[in-house]
Amino acid sequence: MRTVTVVGASLAGLYAARELRAQGFDGRLVIVGDEPHRPYDRPPLSKDFLTGRADESRLALTDAEDRTALDAEWLLGLRATGLDPRTRTVRLHTGRTLTTDGVVIATGARARRLPGPTPAGCHTLRTLDDARALRTALTGGPRRVVVIGGGFIGAETASSCAVLGHEVTVVEAAPLPLLPQLGPEMAAVCAALHRRAGVRLLTGTGVAAPRGPRTVTAVDLADGRTLPADLVVTGIGATPNTDWLAGSGLPLRDGVLCDAGGATPLPQVVAVGDVARVDGVRSEHWAAATLQPRTAVASLLAGHTRETGRPVPYFWSEQYGSRLQFAGSHRDGDTVRVTEGTLVDGAPGPDGFLARYERDGRTVAVLAVDRPKPFTRARRELGREEKQEQKDAEPAAI
């Protein structure tokens, strides 16, 4: 294999490039990115960057020394528009083509938007350019901000806007924010965080449309109510960037379908990060983007799936001065117990808390708020149990 092209200059794309070098690939390495920026860290965009506590220099994921070690050809500001599976050629929007021996698909995802036209003052928060525009809009004095969606991006953005002194309303279609991720008991704790911070939380209703001929003035809700608004931030999830792969023969279903090693049905083509549906699961979290490249690159260089990885799912969030950390996976019907710390009026107490999700007599997930050390220990326990389960499931040697 003489040339490998990584399509996507994201966190996952960068980690894939690093893995290629670490695993011995010494050929031509090309990294294509549709943004003009070198890889940057996205989690701070809705937190420290939005509030002005971090500048762009703190977002950078590479420096000159890193780039020298990678010895890669960077093609930034160029969008991939097609992949020819026969010749393994990547087409770019400029008409340029890249013929390559191996392809790493790391094109990530884009923010979902409300249907129909949107007036000025309506924002999403996914990219650095999105964050720049929103930060500028938040510096012109107090605003009435409506955040559509109570997931991670919505909650973190609402928290940052509240810190900046704006009047904030969060609209969430589900009965509680983060309900699918945390279940009803702990989702109720997240709702209490909003309310304790003075943020208005409206649940169980969707958004019909923002109102305003040129600049947004209000948001019409599906239940008939209208919210005055000077600024609207939509955080209703993300769509994997797979449009450019139409006609490639790759199976696409809410992402690029891969096996447990990140390999696709096309030889020498693997996928990582937000765009990859690995072994039936698509994860949009930082931890997955940094862990998947190791196994995917091993599959790419070997020409087949050499190893698989099934790490314990993990994510974190920072909201209203509290750090939330979650590991594992829950199902409806799991028993949730607070085993350390306290809840006060449904919200975390001053010392935070650790909660365990239990099923059939064992812990299957843990959630911590401002309890990092106990959480780390609990997460390690989950990891050991997961490895033991995988080992027990292996066929016995004959």
Side-chain angles (χ1 to χ4, degrees):
M1 192 174 294
R2 295 162 56 185
T3 301
V4 173
T5 298
V6 178
V7 186
S10 58
L11 177 70
L14 174 63
Y15 269 69
R18 288 174 174 169
E19 280 293 338
L20 281 160
R21 294 307 191 204
Q23 294 188 33
F25 176 70
D26 59 2
R28 181 185 177 213
L29 175 58
V30 182
I31 303 175
V32 179
D34 62 347
E35 294 184 62
H37 316 294
R38 294 191 186 277
Y40 57 87
D41 205 16
R42 294 185 191 274
L45 294 180
S46 58
K47 298 183 276 290
D48 287 353
F49 181 79
L50 200 59
T51 58
R53 293 194 298 265
D55 59 21
E56 292 186 20
S57 65
R58 289 180 56 187
L59 303 178
L61 291 172
T62 65
D63 57 22
E65 185 178 348
D66 295 327
R67 294 191 290 273
T68 298
L70 274 181
D71 188 25
E73 180 182 345
W74 295 84
L75 301 180
L76 300 177
L78 297 175
R79 187 178 73 258
T81 58
L83 173 64
D84 186 328
R86 293 178 298 103
T87 60
R88 209 168 291 110
T89 298
V90 177
R91 295 190 300 275
L92 305 180
H93 80 279
T94 58
R96 180 177 176 180
T97 59
L98 302 170
T99 300
T100 185
D101 301 305
V103 177
V104 179
I105 300 170
T107 43
R110 61 188 181 276
R112 288 196 180 100
R113 299 178 182 272
L114 295 174
T118 53
C122 293
H123 297 258
T124 56
L125 184 52
R126 179 77 186 180
T127 68
L128 176 56
D129 290 340
D130 291 341
R132 284 172 172 171
L134 182 55
R135 188 161 83 164
T136 298
L138 291 168
T139 58
R143 296 283 192 272
R144 295 169 298 179
V145 180
V146 174
V147 177
I148 303 170
F152 294 110
I153 292 297
E156 291 169 3
T157 301
S159 172
S160 295
C161 290
V163 166
L164 292 170
H166 300 289
E167 179 186 320
V168 184
T169 300
V170 175
V171 181
E172 168 58 50
L176 290 165
L178 294 171
L179 183 60
Q181 294 85 0
L182 302 180
E185 295 94 337
M186 294 296 107
V189 174
C190 292
L193 282 174
H194 288 287
R195 297 188 177 107
R196 187 170 70 180
V199 169
R200 185 184 183 192
L201 176 64
L202 301 179
T203 61
T205 185
V207 169
R211 181 187 295 182
R214 294 181 181 174
T215 302
V216 67
T217 59
V219 174
D220 291 332
L221 301 184
D223 62 10
R225 286 179 289 177
T226 296
L227 303 176
D230 305 306
L231 197 66
V232 174
V233 184
T234 301
I236 53 175
T239 302
N241 289 320
T242 59
D243 295 353
W244 69 284
L245 294 167
S248 66
L250 283 169
L252 308 174
R253 189 169 65 248
D254 187 38
V256 178
L257 302 189
C258 315
D259 67 12
T264 74
L266 293 182
Q268 278 71 56
V269 178
V270 299
V272 294
D274 292 359
V275 76
R277 180 166 286 278
V278 179
D279 200 23
V281 177
R282 190 171 71 83
S283 175
E284 295 181 9
H285 298 293
W286 190 92
T290 60
L291 293 173
Q292 290 173 1
R294 185 179 66 82
T295 52
V297 165
S299 299
L300 178 68
L301 296 178
H304 59 87
T305 300
R306 261 183 48 187
E307 57 184 287
T308 61
R310 196 173 67 185
V312 174
Y314 167 64
F315 60 80
W316 78 92
S317 180
E318 292 176 4
Q319 303 172 23
Y320 307 108
S322 291
R323 184 173 179 87
L324 287 69
Q325 296 172 282
F326 183 89
S329 57
H330 85 91
R331 298 178 190 165
D332 291 342
D334 288 347
T335 299
V336 183
R337 292 190 304 118
V338 174
T339 58
E340 297 185 33
T342 57
L343 293 175
V344 179
D345 296 328
D351 55 350
F353 70 87
L354 179 81
R356 293 178 179 270
Y357 294 67
E358 298 172 344
R359 184 187 316 144
D360 298 329
R362 67 185 186 90
T363 299
V364 293
V366 290
L367 170 69
V369 177
D370 297 329
R371 286 244 167 173
K373 289 184 179 179
F375 174 81
T376 298
R377 290 194 296 268
R379 183 186 176 193
R380 286 174 181 161
E381 291 172 9
L382 284 175
R384 287 194 293 267
E385 291 178 6
E386 179 70 23
K387 287 180 181 178
Q388 186 61 49
E389 284 189 10
Q390 293 181 33
K391 184 178 180 179
D392 292 344
E394 292 175 358
I398 299 176

